[in-house]
Amino acid sequence: MAELHATRTELLARKNQITLAEQGRDLLKEKRDALVIEFMAIMDRVLEGSRQLQIAAENARQALALANAVDGTVTIRSAAMAARSRLEIEMSGTYVMGVPCPTIERRSVHRTALTRGYSITGVSSRVDEAAEAFEDELEVIIRLAGIETKLRRLGTEIQKTRRRVNALENVILPDLRQQVDYIEMVLEERAREDLFRLKKVKKALTRHARGRMSGVEGHAT
Amino acid sequence: MRDYGYLNARLRAMKTRLLSRAALESLSKAEGVAQLMTALLSTAYKPDLEWGRLRQPGAAGLEEGLRRHVVVTVQKVAQYAAANPEASAILRVLVSRWDVHNLRTLLRGQHISAPSFEIRESLLPVGSLDESQLEELSGQSSMKAVIDLLLVWGSPYARPLLAGYPDYAKTHDLSALELKLDQFHYRYLCDVTRRRWPGSCLMAAVARRRPAGRSISGGRTFSVSLVREVVRREIDVVNIVTLLRLSREGLPPEECRRFYIPGGKAVSEESFVKLAGKGVGELLTGLAGTPYAKVLEEALPRFLERGAVSLLERRLEEYLVTQAVSLFRGDLLSSAVMIAYLYAKFNELTNLRLLARGKEVRMPEARLKEALILV
């Protein structure tokens, strides 16, 4: 406030800033609302995905436990060496209300018993079933990873937008309004002072004029 | 000498230390792995389980202990059978599955260039390759080096691997190499339990003492015939399970021919190709008249409910175990006791692993019971 120049130009600039801030706030509110709508829609999918992941993980754990128990850990570890492979995922991106969100290409990770790398005559079907269960889990993880990242980014953006709206509403706009009030007060004060000064000048001038008039009249008499 | 008296006496004594059905049922009521471990510490498993739990906690430690128990048990049986070359050779046939497992693991490790410690973790020194040999093999720098070393040591498995290696080097298709190994393994077992002469250690052992032995057919003794039956049943089960698994793959029947393992009793190569790609119903029709059809029929409702081939496979395994364990009631002066004991022991170890893993992951009781084989 100390650096504020109480001038009409400053007052106009501040009023313009208020208008701009109000527009920004309204836009941000709209963005926030749109993000919340998008967030809630994804939230349902994430919750459903998490539930599916929990089920898939439990199934995989049970299938692995069964394979480990019946065939032995060494057999499973050995089969895992044969089935080890690299999983490639394609990623692209989209924008939701200006928020960059990754899109993970959904490619099936399922392999058949004949393509897992081991010979089916040397590995039990329990190993296949455990592998299938883990492939199911992996597919849910990949699907969920894209949605969850989107959800997280939207969540962060909602928080950021909310903070901005709050900052505009509770800090910037009140500050600007206070500044406008202050400038208006100073300008009014200054106007009053000017008026008072002018009245004093006018009074002095009137008095002076009157004095001159009475002096002229005295001379005349 | 082909006297089974001493060996069978020791095995029958060891049989008394096998857990009874009631003991297993009471173990299945344990509330967790710790309680199961405590209960098992009062059995013959004590020293091995103590060794295992020092290495790893929980079910993993218990399993480590059980793995050691397999090694110790097989070593003990081998020691008792040492005076009887035929029994030793039969024992080698019965534990040869571990040879194939170890070889597969070595190949797989080399296929992905796994570090030697990772390969070693998945090896089990049961079978013809001992711990130092397995360590030496796991330390080799390439698959070719492993095969060459096997060749130097005169392993029978070196030949199919050497024959299959050029194709592998071209295509990097490990499953094809493994399939060759599996086919050779069963062919080898059939050969050693069929051929009267020459070559195989088993028949060489039999042949050396032939005049004193009871000959069944083609110079085979009764003991060899018993193990031959076991091998042929195992081949049948492998072929049936392969058919069940292939039914989901959608391969043309002719292409399925390459998965056939010759040597079984119930499934000929032609019927294998005919049944390949068909559903369970047709498989049952094709197997009509064999004991496997009955086993599969019994498990069919559960299979149709859950669609898991492992359910049928487990029932077929149960059939193998039951048949083998029933040999306890067989000829006391033959390999019957050894076959029965080893199958009973391996089954018991599987049951204990099932209980431990089941407790660990809180497996539903119905599923656990389904997997347990109580004989």
Side-chain angles (χ1 to χ4, degrees), chain B residues 273-294:
Chain B
V273 176
K274 213 171 103 187
L275 294 169
K278 302 280 184 341
V280 186
E282 276 155 293
L283 183 63
L284 281 175
T285 316
L287 291 172
T290 67
Y292 309 109
K294 196 170 163 253

Side-chain angles (χ1 to χ4, degrees), chain B residues 291-347:
Chain B
Y292 309 109
K294 196 170 163 253
V295 173
L296 292 176
E297 260 166 32
E298 278 169 16
L300 199 58
R302 289 288 293 131
F303 169 73
L304 294 175
E305 197 183 300
R306 279 190 31 210
V309 173
S310 64
L311 285 171
L312 299 177
E313 186 173 0
R314 194 70 185 132
R315 294 290 68 84
L316 289 167
E317 284 167 354
E318 185 176 18
Y319 171 74
L320 288 182
V321 173
T322 317
Q323 289 297 307
V325 173
S326 70
L327 290 175
F328 269 131
R329 297 189 295 272
D331 189 351
L332 290 179
L333 297 172
S334 71
S335 62
V337 179
M338 183 167 63
I339 295 169
Y341 176 77
L342 286 176
Y343 266 83
K345 189 73 195 175
F346 292 151
N347 181 53

Side-chain angles (χ1 to χ4, degrees), chain A residues 62 69-70 73 77-79 81-82 84 112-114 117-126 128-129, chain B residues 63 104-105 108 112 118 121-122 175 178-179 182 245 249 251 309-310 313-314 317 353-354 361 363-364 367:
Chain A
Q62 301 265 345
V70 181
T73 312
R77 273 205 296 251
S78 172
M81 281 201 271
R84 194 177 292 180
T112 66
L114 297 178
Y118 47 69
S119 160
I120 57 166
T121 51
V123 171
S124 80
S125 56
R126 285 174 291 270
D128 275 348
E129 282 162 22
Chain B
E63 205 176 315
R104 267 194 223 116
T105 307
R108 288 166 181 173
I112 58 160
E118 196 183 335
E121 274 176 3
S122 307
S175 62
E178 280 191 20
L179 182 63
D182 291 337
R245 290 162 80 181
E249 300 296 323
L251 279 184
V309 173
S310 64
E313 186 173 0
R314 194 70 185 132
E317 284 167 354
R353 277 201 307 258
L354 263 168
V361 299
M363 198 179 283
R367 198 164 179 196

